[in-house]
């Protein structure tokens, strides 16, 4: 059965957070964006703490953001990674 009743809880620039008719959370992305899964040389996933409007406290997440006009997805991914974590990637692999 298709999810027909969706409630948007929060909108912010290029994304929306919502809940479906069965209570399942979802994220809608508007426009093009990137989500980065940074893995260190020690094979650890680097995560960031960000303030959350819906949780009213910092939450653990992955670096992400919108692709700026004139920017490739690779350039955007590396820029977002640097802005949000201070790290720069030596290698970027497209995951889909």
């Amino acid at each position: 059965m298709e999810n027909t009743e969706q409630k948007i809880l929060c909108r912010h620039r290029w994304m929306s957070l919502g809940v479906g008719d069965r209570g399942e959370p979802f994220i809608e992305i508007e426009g093009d964006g990137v989500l980065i899964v940074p893995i260190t040389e020690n094979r650890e996933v680097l995560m960031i703490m960000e303030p959350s409007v819906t949780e009213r406290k910092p939450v653990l997440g992955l670096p992400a953001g919108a692709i700026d006009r004139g920017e490739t997805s690779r350039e955007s991914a590396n820029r977002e990674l640097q802005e949000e974590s201070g790290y720069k990637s030596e290698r970027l692999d497209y995951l889909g």
Side-chain angles (χ1 to χ4, degrees), residues 9-13 15 17 50-59:
L9 301 174
C10 178
R11 288 189 197 278
H12 181 68
R13 294 188 340 207
M15 64 184 265
L17 172 64
E50 290 190 296
S52 169
V53 174
T54 56
E55 295 293 324
R56 294 185 171 85
K57 63 181 180 182
V59 294

Side-chain angles (χ1 to χ4, degrees), residues 52-80:
S52 169
V53 174
T54 56
E55 295 293 324
R56 294 185 171 85
K57 63 181 180 182
V59 294
L60 193 60
L62 294 168
I67 299 174
D68 291 343
R69 183 177 294 143
E71 191 175 48
T72 68
S73 57
R74 285 183 175 277
E75 291 167 336
S76 177
N78 221 355
R79 176 183 52 77
E80 290 292 344

Side-chain angles (χ1 to χ4, degrees), residues 20-34:
D21 62 351
R22 294 182 215 107
E24 70 280 7
F26 67 88
I27 296 175
E28 288 182 348
I29 305 293
E30 298 171 14
D32 292 329
V34 293

